[in-house]
Amino acid sequence: MAKVGFSGGGGRKPTVAFSAWVFTVCWFIPQLALAKDIRIVYSSITASQSVAWVAQEAGIYQKHGLNVQLVFVSSGSRAMSALLAGETPILFSAGNPGVSAALGGAKVKTIMGLLNVFPYYLVAAKGINQIEQLKGKRIGISRFGSSGHAAAVYALRRFNLEPGRDVALLQIGGGAERLAAMQSNAVQGTLLTSPQQLLAKKLGFNVLADLAQLGIPFLHSAVITRDEVIAQQPDLLNSFSRAVIEGIHFLKTRPRETLKIFQKYFRTDDQEALQDSYDEYITQIQRIPYVDPKAVQTVLQTIGESQPAALKAKPEQFVDHSLLQKIERSGFVEKLYGGQKQ
């Protein structure tokens, strides 16, 4: 077995391996000491926010000088409240809370779009094989104002079904609660994300549509911060943004390790479900997570019924791409991927 230490002979000169080890330790320990403590909130244990914890588990935040404490807040509105209260400088969230808060006067910006399409599957009860057959039925959603609510409205209207007139929408809760409501026939349809749609199929329900394939842009998952953080802590956001971009690279290039992280956070050993979640998201996430203006426009249209100011607003009012643009110009992303095209 090779020894890590000094070479033989009277001079006892350091070996190359030992010298490299000393250099690494001397470099890394100061990085740990200098790492900036930061609390980051995420609001969903789904693939669309997985880069938040992949970057943590892979040590990427630490590599970029950040000692991150991840905090899970299951409600998007409560997570947004934590951002506005200064409890965190950065929030992983659905896109609509940030847009809605900004319309209400909050000084926040969306700085990344982690998923710019609806990731939902429209699932129906046994015996319902076409979307048109949902007329007169009940569809379960998590809550009114959620991205799932918006997805249901857009999907139904795409097939000439008007929510409230042709189909009743009921607030049920999370995916597990909606599946239970399907099993008891309290509702005859719902929207689920991967891998929940696989469980629904195993229970005998029918998957009628993959909304991602309908070409409806929507800011389903985003990174949001306060204007004051952009102005006063640009170095923090630069380090964080580089860590997220490198986390996306890890997701795309290290599937085996990523699936192990998914297994930990999803708390399941179902390899089929984990692989399905991974396969779906990896085709949707961009190397540089820019926000699609069309995705923000859909959000504005969705919340326009409750916030009329949204119908006159422009997507660029809610987005700040300056950090990502600076990183792209630096060549950081090109170096990560070795010049490979997307």
Side-chain angles (χ1 to χ4, degrees):
M1 182 175 68
K3 296 181 179 180
V4 177
F6 295 98
S7 62
R12 295 176 62 84
K13 297 179 180 179
T15 64
V16 172
F18 180 76
S19 298
W21 179 80
V22 170
F23 174 81
T24 300
V25 170
C26 290
W27 176 87
F28 188 65
I29 289 178
Q31 303 309 308
L32 290 176
L34 294 172
K36 182 176 180 60
D37 292 335
I38 175 177
R39 178 182 294 176
I40 295 177
V41 171
Y42 66 104
S43 61
S44 175
I45 303 176
T46 58
S48 65
Q49 290 188 26
S50 61
V51 70
W53 19 277
V54 166
Q56 177 81 317
E57 297 293 326
I60 298 172
Y61 290 131
Q62 194 78 57
K63 176 181 175 181
H64 288 275
L66 300 175
N67 183 26
V68 170
Q69 177 191 3
L70 286 178
V71 179
F72 175 56
V73 178
S74 60
S75 164
S77 58
R78 287 197 294 117
M80 178 55 62
S81 295
L83 177 68
L84 296 178
E87 297 173 13
T88 176
I90 297 167
L91 170 63
F92 286 85
S93 170
N96 43 333
V99 173
S100 181
L103 282 169
K107 302 298 183 182
V108 296
K109 289 289 190 302
T110 299
I111 59 173
M112 296 184 192
L114 300 174
L115 187 57
N116 288 294
V117 295
F118 285 123
Y120 295 100
Y121 293 86
L122 180 57
V123 178
K126 303 169 186 177
I128 298 178
N129 301 303
Q130 296 180 339
I131 294 179
E132 291 79 4
Q133 292 177 278
L134 289 170
K135 187 171 184 178
K137 308 298 184 183
R138 298 182 296 273
I139 292 182
I141 61 172
S142 59
R143 61 178 178 80
F144 294 121
S146 67
S147 60
H149 178 207
V153 170
Y154 270 85
L156 291 169
R157 286 177 177 169
R158 179 65 65 93
F159 292 89
N160 299 315
L161 293 174
E162 184 61 31
R165 183 191 68 199
D166 301 317
V167 180
L169 298 181
L170 304 181
Q171 292 187 125
I172 301 296
E177 289 80 6
R178 298 198 301 276
L179 274 175
M182 290 277 290
Q183 289 178 288
S184 67
N185 200 39
V187 297
Q188 293 75 49
T190 190
L191 289 103
L192 300 171
T193 56
S194 176
Q196 292 171 329
Q197 95 285 359
L198 287 180
L199 177 57
K201 289 177 69 174
K202 291 176 181 178
L203 291 172
F205 300 125
N206 296 318
V207 176
L208 302 184
D210 175 357
L211 269 59
Q213 301 302 314
L214 295 181
I216 305 171
F218 186 83
L219 188 56
H220 178 77
S221 186
V223 176
I224 307 165
T225 189
R226 298 187 304 278
D227 290 1
E228 66 182 37
V229 179
I230 296 174
Q232 299 173 12
Q233 302 184 67
D235 291 341
L236 167 66
L237 290 181
N238 180 63
S239 297
F240 166 78
S241 299
R242 285 173 177 261
V244 169
I245 289 172
E246 189 165 340
I248 292 171
H249 175 263
F250 188 97
L251 274 160
K252 287 180 173 291
T253 60
R254 306 279 288 276
R256 183 177 300 179
E257 295 93 332
T258 297
L259 286 172
K260 289 181 180 179
I261 297 172
F262 275 26
Q263 183 174 349
K264 174 181 177 179
Y265 280 80
F266 286 140
R267 296 182 180 180
T268 180
D269 295 325
D270 188 331
Q271 295 303 310
E272 181 185 8
L274 293 169
Q275 189 69 53
D276 185 75
S277 292
Y278 176 83
D279 290 343
E280 177 178 299
Y281 185 55
I282 209 64
T283 63
Q284 298 168 341
I285 181 65
Q286 306 170 78
R287 289 182 177 183
I288 307 176
Y290 285 118
V291 179
D292 182 352
K294 294 179 180 178
V296 179
Q297 188 62 55
T298 308
V299 172
L300 290 169
Q301 293 169 356
T302 301
I303 63 181
E305 295 180 10
S306 58
Q307 292 178 273
L311 301 177
K312 297 181 180 180
K314 302 294 183 184
E316 53 268 24
Q317 296 173 221
F318 308 92
V319 178
D320 188 325
H321 278 155
S322 60
L323 289 157
L324 293 182
Q325 291 167 342
K326 182 179 179 180
I327 292 171
E328 182 176 16
R329 288 194 300 268
S330 75
F332 175 77
V333 182
E334 185 176 1
K335 184 178 179 181
L336 265 181
Y337 288 89
Q340 297 177 355
K341 295 181 178 180
Q342 297 191 43

